Amino acid sequence: MKIKLLLSTLLLAAGHAGAASIVYGMGSEPTSLESGNINDTGSALAQAQIYDTLVSFKPGTTTPQPGLALRWQANATSTEWTFFLRPGVKFTDGTPFNADAALFNLNRWWDPKDPNGYRDANKDWQSWGRAFNGFKGDPKGTVKDILKEGPYRIRFVLSKPYADFPLVIGSTFFGMASPAAVRKAGADYGTPRAGAVGTGPFIYQSWTTGDRMVLRANPGYWGGAPKSDGLVLRFIKDPSARLNELKSGTIDFTSDLNPDALANVRADRRIEPVLKPSFNVGFLSLNSSNPYLKDVRVRRAISMAINKKAIVESFWGDLGVSDNSFLPPALAWANSKQVPANVMYDPKAAKALLAAAGYPNGFSLDLWYMPVSRPYFPTPKPIAEAMAADLSDIGIKVNLKTEDWAAYLQHRFQPGFDMYMIGWTPGNGSPLDFYGAYYGADVSSDSKYAPPELDALLLQAQAAIGRTQQARVYGQIHKLTHDAAVRIPIVHSRPLAAKVPNLQGWTPSPLGTEAFTTVFKN
């Protein structure tokens, strides 16, 4: 009897330990918990814990699977998409998810006149605008109408064919929020003051600015209760500090470590490396309205002067690759055969281009670097210093600048930067998610580069069906954007993550964000 009691006690203790809260170290603090109104990975990762989207992705892949929609179907031209919603799902405030709730979210993102959009509080719904070329009433807007066709069925009517529409609407940016919670909080929804309510695996508890966000498990989650009791998201900007905290046991797992830390991680028995899939781009963005940068010869000179391969070898080692594409190697099928695969480093030719443009003695430009580590730029400042050194060799004096992350994301558009470092990890597996995020009239206020022929090609890519047709259009986009040298690819990285040995169930997504539903400490 005593042995049985002892075994029962040990099993209960083990079960409780397995369900303990887990702590994740983030490289940046979320800017908002308001879905549809973000454009940064930190916010997307936090929202992935709280919200669900209509379409989900199989763990560790870019393959779509049912989310809040059980299935979806298109008409013959892919201009209408009908989604059949999952019945019986509730938001964590107890209110039901159904077609009315879905339309509430969709309309506040899409319709400028929707009173729940709170646009008078400077909410611009940038995620929707970028993904769908504008809003209701915009001549170029992708979505023409959104209709309720039953208590659990909605239909999107598009202005043009869109074969990958389910992938885009499944992006982490478009999580479904509780209408009751949004109405209650008003314009404060998604801030530390008001929090957020979704149907997701975790429930928002608190957000201490500059420190952490605390979530607890949703025991009634439709996809199965999380395997941990709760989740703490710690905001630790410095990668070395995150690694030290992981070693000391104050966090359980983290991402976006310095690539040169790989040997250190492998040598330390207290932690284990996790190599995330490579599916991103880190690039240098140029403002083509700048008096110097408006000349394409100057932009090409800058691209040729930066020793991209040496920079990648120095800062990423085997965890990065540099090439002439905005797309990662996994999407190489969409590259143009007219663009050399290997990058060109030729300071002499770059200097000659500057002279031909009328600047034999060079000039001065500001280069803004990110204040936080991201998967594509884990150590932004030293990488910026390396680029500045290369540019000085051809006579361009670089002034390095940075500022708070939220301000950085805003000020790159207005008043704008000469040059700045940024990158992209997509919300889905389509090449259009890379190009569409930074090319086109609606997303180019930072670069001022939006030729009509590029917009036309982006629309063709959106409508293209089948790999052959898509490859032909994307190849043209690749050639046009490469020759313009406005967004200069520096790296496609394989982000270094790490965890404590007893953390189980973590399958990192190539899309950069994933819900931690299955993660637990054994």
Side-chain angles (χ1 to χ4, degrees), residues 165-216:
F165 182 80
L167 300 181
V168 181
I169 202 66
S171 164
T172 311
F173 298 138
F174 303 122
M176 293 287 161
S178 161
V182 172
R183 290 190 179 103
K184 180 179 179 180
D188 272 349
Y189 183 82
T191 67
R193 294 185 299 275
V197 178
T199 62
F202 292 94
I203 302 171
Y204 174 88
Q205 294 292 283
S206 64
W207 178 355
T208 305
T209 303
D211 181 32
R212 69 186 63 202
M213 186 179 294
V214 179
L215 311 172
R216 65 179 173 87

Side-chain angles (χ1 to χ4, degrees), residues 232-505:
V232 178
L233 303 175
R234 291 271 314 280
F235 316 139
I236 310 168
K237 289 184 179 181
D238 182 66
S240 298
R242 290 200 301 280
L243 180 57
N244 289 334
E245 294 226 24
L246 185 67
K247 290 180 176 181
S248 67
T250 52
I251 63 175
D252 300 310
F253 58 137
T254 189
S255 300
D256 308 333
L257 297 173
N258 294 342
D260 61 8
L262 179 58
N264 185 335
V265 173
R266 282 176 168 161
D268 196 317
R269 296 178 63 182
R270 296 173 294 177
I271 56 177
E272 296 176 350
V274 177
L275 298 181
K276 303 180 78 172
S278 176
F279 206 68
N280 60 33
V281 61
F283 61 96
L284 180 66
S285 186
L286 309 185
N287 187 338
S288 65
S289 69
N290 176 279
Y292 305 115
L293 300 176
K294 66 183 180 182
D295 191 322
V296 67
R297 292 172 295 183
V298 173
R299 301 198 301 269
R300 289 175 181 171
I302 288 174
S303 181
M304 293 166 63
I306 297 174
N307 194 343
K308 306 176 190 71
K309 283 193 176 296
I311 289 174
V312 170
E313 288 173 4
S314 296
F315 292 98
W316 285 270
D318 295 334
L319 298 182
V321 62
S322 184
D323 58 29
N324 267 331
S325 178
F326 202 69
L327 303 177
L331 296 177
W333 62 266
N335 288 338
S336 170
K337 294 180 180 178
Q338 299 179 47
V339 176
N342 295 322
V343 297
M344 177 183 290
Y345 170 61
D346 192 337
K348 185 176 179 180
K351 199 166 180 62
L353 274 178
L354 285 188
Y359 307 110
N361 299 317
F363 45 80
S364 178
L365 287 174
D366 293 339
L367 193 168
W368 291 76
Y369 64 89
M370 301 150 49
V372 298
S373 65
R374 306 302 315 133
Y376 35 81
F377 286 134
T379 53
K381 185 177 181 180
I383 296 169
E385 291 170 341
M387 288 193 284
D390 286 343
L391 293 177
S392 70
D393 289 342
I394 65 167
I396 298 178
K397 181 181 182 301
V398 173
N399 308 305
L400 294 179
K401 295 188 175 184
T402 192
E403 61 180 343
D404 173 76
W405 182 226
Y408 185 96
L409 292 174
Q410 179 182 355
H411 292 160
R412 60 183 170 145
F413 299 115
Q414 187 64 37
F417 300 151
D418 295 344
M419 306 185 291
Y420 76 98
M421 293 165 60
I422 196 69
W424 187 247
T425 301
N428 63 70
S430 169
L432 192 61
D433 200 350
F434 280 91
Y435 285 121
Y438 284 95
Y439 288 105
D442 297 315
V443 296
S444 299
S445 59
D446 58 335
S447 68
K448 306 298 188 294
Y449 172 75
E453 59 266 35
L454 179 55
D455 265 352
L457 285 170
L458 289 168
L459 291 177
Q460 289 179 42
Q462 180 175 296
I465 298 175
R467 179 64 60 88
T468 300
Q469 191 179 106
Q470 291 175 338
R472 179 182 59 79
V473 181
Y474 284 124
Q476 296 176 66
I477 293 173
H478 182 203
K479 179 70 165 63
L480 182 61
T481 56
H482 169 266
D483 291 349
V486 170
R487 316 279 197 190
I488 301 173
I490 303 297
V491 67
H492 304 290
S493 72
R494 187 171 189 188
L496 174 60
K499 67 181 186 70
V500 293
N502 65 331
L503 186 97
Q504 306 294 319

Side-chain angles (χ1 to χ4, degrees), residues 50-217:
I50 297 169
Y51 299 123
D52 291 308
T53 50
L54 294 178
V55 178
S56 182
F57 296 91
K58 292 182 180 179
T61 77
T62 60
T63 304
Q65 67 176 9
L68 288 176
L70 286 171
R71 61 187 178 93
W72 47 90
Q73 64 185 34
N75 64 356
T77 58
S78 294
T79 55
E80 294 187 7
W81 285 90
T82 302
F83 287 77
F84 300 83
L85 307 182
R86 187 182 297 273
V89 176
K90 290 189 176 182
F91 293 100
T92 54
D93 60 5
T95 57
F97 171 77
N98 49 30
D100 290 328
L103 284 175
F104 175 91
N105 282 272
L106 295 164
N107 281 324
R108 71 192 298 255
W109 303 330
W110 169 61
D111 187 353
K113 296 181 180 179
D114 189 285
N116 298 301
Y118 304 106
R119 283 167 169 81
D120 55 353
N122 297 319
K123 295 181 183 292
D124 59 8
W125 305 107
Q126 56 183 303
S127 302
W128 184 276
R130 279 174 171 259
F132 300 114
N133 303 311
F135 304 92
K136 184 176 182 179
D138 287 349
K140 294 182 180 180
T142 300
V143 178
K144 188 162 60 175
D145 206 353
I146 308 174
L147 305 170
K148 174 184 174 182
E149 297 200 322
Y152 293 99
R153 190 168 72 182
I154 59 174
R155 179 162 57 97
F156 294 87
V157 181
L158 310 182
S159 61
K160 52 189 76 71
Y162 203 166
D164 286 340
F165 182 80
L167 300 181
V168 181
I169 202 66
S171 164
T172 311
F173 298 138
F174 303 122
M176 293 287 161
S178 161
V182 172
R183 290 190 179 103
K184 180 179 179 180
D188 272 349
Y189 183 82
T191 67
R193 294 185 299 275
V197 178
T199 62
F202 292 94
I203 302 171
Y204 174 88
Q205 294 292 283
S206 64
W207 178 355
T208 305
T209 303
D211 181 32
R212 69 186 63 202
M213 186 179 294
V214 179
L215 311 172
R216 65 179 173 87

Side-chain angles (χ1 to χ4, degrees), residues 4-38:
K4 288 182 178 180
L5 285 172
L6 179 59
L7 285 172
S8 298
T9 303
L10 288 173
L11 287 170
L12 285 170
H16 183 268
S21 290
I22 51 177
V23 184
Y24 179 76
M26 296 179 64
S28 64
E29 182 170 356
T31 58
S32 174
L33 288 181
E34 188 161 52
S35 55
N37 201 28
I38 60 165

